[in-house]
Amino acid sequence: MNDEHKAFSSKEAQRVYFDSAPIGIAHLSESGRFTSVNERLVEMLGYSRLEFLDMDMDDITHKDDRDNDEIMFRESVNGVCPDYGMSKKLIHKEGQFVPVKMSMKRTPREGNFEMMVSFIEPSQPMAYMKKELINGMEQYRQAVPIGKIIQDNKKAFGIAAGVAILMYLGLGEELGKLILEVLGRVLGE
């Protein structure tokens, strides 16, 4: 495999993980403006991707959480504390507050600021998330025989397993275990 193919495959894999992640992911500029968001964050907060691109993190953060978030964000951008996490309330497009757990990571390139990556998951009980995952996968399984699903979607299951492993290793052990459990249940293993 040549270097160009490796780079393409890596970028393609990153895009698949970004788009299919079961949690919200956002890329932010140094000023806190959204530069890209995944579909899960769109679903979670009700704004379109285009609406997000016209906003910054303060626009969707509850006023009680803004000061602390701004301090942590500035320290991260400046390299004082490259990673941080917090529980906070975000504002849904319809006005209700959405309690979340957020992790923020500064991604430097050759020592300079490149972007901030935010991982956002609702602060909902795992039982609720498990129920939703199982229901969705069970509906899909009932619509198509499992043998056909596996045969036709080996890549999709590989991606789902990859996301689960990423979740288990870096974004939340409990959520990663849940995804692996649900995949095993749907596959009948």
Side-chain angles (χ1 to χ4, degrees), residues 68-133:
N68 188 37
D69 191 34
E70 180 63 26
I71 291 167
M72 297 299 293
F73 187 84
R74 285 288 123 226
E75 287 184 355
S76 188
V77 165
N78 294 327
V80 175
C81 176
D83 306 348
Y84 70 93
M86 64 188 309
S87 292
K88 66 186 222 175
K89 294 179 290 298
L90 297 180
I91 304 168
H92 190 278
K93 184 177 181 175
E94 295 177 1
Q96 68 265 36
F97 300 123
V98 180
V100 299
K101 294 178 186 174
M102 184 189 74
S103 299
M104 191 75 76
K105 176 151 183 66
R106 177 180 189 261
T107 60
R109 176 177 287 171
E110 298 171 13
N112 298 320
F113 177 85
E114 183 179 346
M115 72 175 155
M116 295 293 290
V117 179
S118 181
F119 302 99
I120 303 168
E121 59 183 312
S123 299
Q124 297 174 334
M126 291 310 266
Y128 172 79
M129 293 178 76
K130 180 177 181 177
K131 179 182 170 200
E132 292 299 309
L133 277 170

Side-chain angles (χ1 to χ4, degrees), residues 38-96:
N38 72 348
E39 188 59 31
R40 179 64 182 118
L41 190 58
V42 167
E43 292 168 3
M44 192 184 311
L45 296 178
Y47 302 98
S48 71
R49 287 183 191 225
L50 287 175
E51 288 173 309
F52 270 108
L53 297 180
D54 285 334
M55 297 189 295
D56 62 28
M57 186 58 86
D58 277 353
D59 293 329
I60 65 164
T61 299
H62 186 277
K63 63 181 176 147
D64 293 345
D65 296 322
R66 285 185 192 143
D67 290 342
N68 188 37
D69 191 34
E70 180 63 26
I71 291 167
M72 297 299 293
F73 187 84
R74 285 288 123 226
E75 287 184 355
S76 188
V77 165
N78 294 327
V80 175
C81 176
D83 306 348
Y84 70 93
M86 64 188 309
S87 292
K88 66 186 222 175
K89 294 179 290 298
L90 297 180
I91 304 168
H92 190 278
K93 184 177 181 175
E94 295 177 1
Q96 68 265 36

Side-chain angles (χ1 to χ4, degrees), residues 4-35:
E4 186 176 300
H5 189 281
K6 285 180 188 175
F8 176 77
S9 295
S10 176
K11 286 180 184 178
E12 183 179 319
Q14 288 174 9
R15 177 48 67 190
V16 168
Y17 295 144
F18 181 82
D19 288 337
S20 63
I23 63 168
I25 302 176
H27 296 157
L28 295 100
S29 70
E30 189 171 0
S31 67
R33 292 193 71 75
F34 292 100
T35 58

